[in-house]
Amino acid sequence: MSLALRWLVLILFSAPLFLIAADRSDEAAPAPGAAPAAQSSAKSDAPGIQDNSFMVEEAYNQEDGVVQHINTFQWLSQRRNWTYTETDEWPVRSRKHQLSMSLGGTHAGSFPGSGGGLSDTALNYRYQLVGSGETKVAMAPRLTLLLPTGDSKFGRGSGGTGYQASIPVSVQLNQWLVTHWNAGATWVPHARNEANEGARTVGVNLGQSFVWLAKKRFNVLVETVWISSESVIGRGRTDRSHDLFINPGIRWAYNFKNGLQIVPGLAMPIGVGPSAGEKGAFLYLSFEHPFAPAHSRQK
């Protein structure tokens, strides 16, 4: 049995356990002796899952005074690539503005003896242009500065400073179904390859997802991601490639009395079209909690 098939079996047979766990009372719920009405009210007020997508970005900035630490790990079987990313998201004085930083490591399967190493670093600013997590429609454009901290000689980075723009839009269709839409572009004026040859590269990406809110703390999601990217193949010369993945997965949440919410998740990227035959695994782990220094000082 292939590793990808094992992951699929794990997802299918584990889902009922996660559903049961997600339907249990939160740690913050009243004691068993509390009145039934009070228990029901506390359970309905328990935080659900919202800003915890995998490959597709949702359009919800962090609430004032709340920070989030997001860990992801992706592995692709045919290419033998793996990538780990840790992202910290911070509100800036209000929900309108958010700063974040993404650090990580990667291994390119096309460099089999290179091992893993630091990847490029992303510094992000996102503006809540429309709505929020409490509205039917939300939009939060993002601008990113990509720093060339990864070694392009081993396929771990672009070899030059890059710039990225993305427009995520989120729409709540009804009480059970939410959809997210992404459109973005990446520009690296002076990218470099393993031979230190330079060229300008331009990439574009589109993403879309449906999230089924099966339970307040258990969600099923299906993401679709298309990426068109360029790689340097000579001085002033590039080659364009395309990737298309469908990423079905699940996520669930644990809530704690101190306001901490832990959200694990797992998915199985499946290549289609230009990426047909590619399979892999995607792991997700988020820690979201109140943090006093992140509170706005505005009255």
Side-chain angles (χ1 to χ4, degrees), residues 61-67 90-99 125-126 291-299:
N61 275 1
Q62 287 299 116
E63 300 93 334
D64 184 28
V66 176
V67 299
W90 293 67
V92 181
R93 298 189 64 84
S94 73
R95 195 173 202 167
K96 284 286 185 182
H97 309 280
Q98 175 180 290
L99 294 177
Y125 167 74
R126 197 164 68 175
F291 189 58
H295 275 291
S296 169
R297 296 184 180 180
Q298 295 178 342
K299 300 297 184 182

Side-chain angles (χ1 to χ4, degrees), residues 54-55 61 65 84 87 109 113 135 151 164 168 185 191 215 247 268:
F54 299 162
M55 293 183 175
N61 275 1
Y84 166 76
T87 301
T135 61
D151 193 340
Q164 189 177 82
K215 297 286 184 180
N247 190 43
M268 189 180 75

Side-chain angles (χ1 to χ4, degrees), residues 108-194:
S110 55
F111 296 82
S114 63
L118 186 66
S119 57
D120 286 351
T121 298
L123 303 178
N124 312 293
Y125 167 74
R126 197 164 68 175
Y127 178 70
Q128 191 74 57
L129 181 64
V130 176
S132 68
E134 284 74 49
T135 61
K136 184 176 180 179
V137 178
M139 178 187 296
R142 170 176 57 80
L143 295 175
T144 296
L145 176 65
L146 299 170
L147 303 179
T149 51
D151 193 340
S152 60
K153 294 180 181 179
F154 298 108
R156 298 180 192 141
S158 64
T161 301
Y163 310 91
Q164 189 177 82
S166 180
I167 302 178
V169 176
S170 298
V171 181
Q172 181 160 354
L173 301 177
N174 53 50
Q175 63 177 333
W176 304 110
L177 193 62
V178 179
T179 183
H180 305 292
W181 302 78
N182 293 176
T186 304
W187 176 49
V188 183
H190 305 288
R192 295 195 172 275
N193 61 9
E194 65 273 18

Side-chain angles (χ1 to χ4, degrees), residues 17 24 83 100 116-117 124 153 188 244 257 286 297:
L17 299 178
R24 294 174 59 187
T83 302
S100 64
N124 312 293
K153 294 180 181 179
V188 183
L244 180 61
K257 293 180 180 180
S286 165
R297 296 184 180 180

